[in-house]
Amino acid sequence: MEEKIKSFLEEINLFLFTNEESAEAFRLKYLSKKGIIPALFEEFKTLPPEQRKTTGKSLNELKQLAEQKLADAKSTINKSPDKDTVKTDLSLPGDPHSLGARHPISIVRKQMTDIFTRIGFVVSEGPEIEDDWHNFGALNFPPNHPARDMQDTFFIDSGDGEKWLLRTHTSSVQVRVMENQQPPIRTISPGRVYRNETISARAHCQFHQVEGLYIDEGVSFADLKQTLYYFVQEMFGDKIEIRFRPSFFPFTEPSAEMDITCLICNGAGCPVCKHSGWVEILGCGMVHPNVLDNCKIDSTKYTGYAFGMGIERITMLKFRINDLRLFFENDIRFLSQFKSVL
Ligand code: 2U9
């Protein structure tokens, strides 16, 4: 009888429960009144007393195993869908994996940095939280300059007595480059900047810039003009013309603003260019000698040019976007339009 019990033990252990019917078949075969286990108990009664102790123990273990297996199978069958009724329909279309898109600002930022790195500029990055020296002082801003006003700059109350602010331009990164490196310096600094502006279709309290800086012996305004001409031709096509208008910045002397042919009307005149045929895209100039001296670069030996432009402005012209706020709202209907670009 011990042999029989052992073989049923193995059989029960290998029993495969697939659904409710198989569980019921198991119950009928082993545990029901007319099943194998009750029949073994009947047989047990006929055994001589000296065999009963060990065989009784094995028999009880067999019964417990069968009951446990059945209980476990019932609980898993109730939880999982019936394998026989839930069938996979292989003709159904697959779940689509929708691809994301780069943000238009990231697309244009990459295009801009690629254009400048092709002619030897190196990308430099730096902190968005700055001190007064790197954002203003080193760049020749006088102590009472309006940009240093609470109205224009976000100051941070750090509680440590230090005066911190959110950088208002990425020129601060280039000050750090100049402090750490002697000419020749040829660098561009893309990045996010902050200004305390009222949000509208044309202005935002955060935007992105690419600023450029080239310092070496004998660098001239002619070098600046040619570099910027190369940039706009690469960016907007070789029919684009440029023009310079005199301007003023504390950190450059002389300073200028640069316009390009209006991309909407090709220079004929339209509401976007206020019927002038030109649109402004950047500011530039020769680095002020005070800025070089502030960064321990000999202004009697070296000269340099610098320029700065807003990535949003370039992106709006390139993709004909008329509201700056769209860049910061993350509306999927706007962002998904740039899927095919890069
Ligand atoms: C150093 C010295 C000088 C960078 C320059 C401009 C002119 C300029 C504005 C254009 C639109 C900023 O995004 S904007 O609002 N920028 O007009 N930026 S020259 O001059 C530098 C930079 C670094 C060390």
Side-chain angles (χ1 to χ4, degrees):
M1 194 172 171
E2 279 288 343
E3 281 302 306
K4 255 202 256 175
I5 293 172
K6 207 171 152 218
S7 96
F8 284 130
L9 206 73
E10 275 167 26
E11 203 178 280
I12 287 171
N13 264 325
L14 292 172
F15 192 91
L16 202 61
F17 293 91
T18 49
N19 51 22
E20 267 178 58
E21 282 78 53
S22 65
E24 179 57 11
F26 178 89
R27 191 191 68 77
L28 285 172
K29 181 171 179 190
Y30 296 104
L31 292 163
S32 66
K33 266 188 189 161
K34 291 185 178 161
I36 289 168
I37 293 173
L40 287 172
F41 272 98
E42 285 305 313
E43 195 180 332
F44 171 76
K45 287 177 192 161
T46 65
L47 288 180
E50 62 274 16
Q51 279 182 28
R52 283 199 194 169
K53 199 173 174 204
T54 47
T55 310
K57 195 164 170 269
S58 312
L59 195 52
N60 275 327
E61 278 169 7
L62 182 72
K63 190 179 176 209
Q64 273 164 19
L65 175 76
E67 285 171 346
Q68 191 58 50
K69 284 279 257 182
L70 185 64
D72 289 350
K74 277 187 174 165
S75 75
T76 43
I77 286 165
N78 285 341
K79 269 184 231 143
S80 58
D82 192 330
K83 280 206 182 94
D84 290 341
T85 55
V86 181
K87 292 217 171 74
T88 308
D89 181 353
L90 297 175
S91 68
L92 283 173
D95 290 335
H97 288 275
S98 66
L99 278 181
R102 273 186 203 275
H103 192 284
I105 296 297
S106 302
I107 295 169
V108 173
R109 172 186 158 138
K110 169 108 181 14
Q111 288 175 347
M112 291 168 78
T113 52
D114 284 352
I115 291 170
F116 285 110
T117 52
R118 280 207 288 279
I119 54 167
F121 281 80
V122 173
V123 174
S124 48
E125 293 187 359
E128 291 186 12
I129 296 174
E130 267 297 4
D131 52 49
D132 185 87
W133 172 254
H134 290 97
N135 197 77
F136 293 127
L139 287 157
N140 201 35
F141 279 79
N144 57 351
H145 192 279
R148 289 182 134 147
D149 205 308
M150 290 283 280
Q151 245 93 57
D152 293 288
T153 304
F154 290 113
F155 290 97
I156 296 163
D157 183 6
S158 59
D160 62 1
E162 292 278 338
K163 216 174 152 194
W164 299 102
L165 49 84
L166 295 182
R167 68 182 181 194
T168 59
H169 43 207
T170 56
S171 317
S172 53
V173 178
Q174 297 175 329
V175 170
R176 288 176 182 279
V177 172
M178 288 162 75
E179 284 175 339
N180 290 304
Q181 191 191 321
Q182 283 296 306
I185 293 172
R186 211 190 277 118
T187 185
I188 48 160
S189 310
R192 195 193 302 254
V193 300
Y194 303 86
R195 290 185 192 175
N196 195 357
E197 304 247 12
T198 308
I199 297 169
S200 72
R202 300 175 152 268
H204 209 286
C205 59
Q206 55 169 320
F207 63 102
H208 299 80
Q209 285 189 329
V210 169
E211 297 230 338
L213 178 72
Y214 178 30
I215 304 169
D216 203 351
E217 287 181 51
V219 174
S220 71
F221 203 94
D223 298 323
L224 171 64
K225 284 169 83 172
Q226 196 56 42
T227 305
L228 293 177
Y229 192 43
Y230 155 78
F231 166 71
V232 296
Q233 301 236 314
E234 290 290 302
M235 195 72 206
F236 299 109
D238 53 15
K239 295 210 170 43
I240 300 295
E241 293 300 322
I242 57 174
R243 75 172 187 187
F244 290 84
R245 288 175 288 103
S247 187
F248 175 82
F249 308 110
F251 33 82
T252 46
E253 183 59 36
S255 306
E257 279 164 323
M258 192 182 87
D259 299 340
I260 59 168
T261 319
C262 178
L263 297 157
I264 310 296
C265 61
N266 290 324
C270 70
V272 169
C273 61
K274 298 196 189 81
H275 304 284
S276 70
W278 297 95
V279 286
E280 183 192 320
I281 63 158
L282 59 82
C284 60
M286 300 306 290
V287 179
H288 198 295
N290 290 353
V291 176
L292 297 175
D293 293 339
N294 284 341
C295 302
K296 312 275 182 304
I297 288 175
D298 185 352
S299 63
T300 61
K301 186 174 177 197
Y302 296 108
T303 52
Y305 68 65
F307 56 85
M309 58 191 135
I311 305 182
E312 279 77 2
R313 176 123 190 84
I314 305 290
T315 311
M316 288 168 91
L317 289 168
K318 207 167 164 66
F319 294 124
R320 304 191 175 195
I321 297 162
N322 60 10
D323 193 325
L324 194 89
R325 289 167 292 198
L326 286 164
F327 293 126
F328 301 99
E329 283 165 357
N330 284 334
D331 186 328
I332 207 83
R333 292 167 300 180
F334 172 69
L335 296 177
S336 61
Q337 292 178 53
F338 300 92
K339 273 189 181 173
S340 57
V341 184
L342 266 186

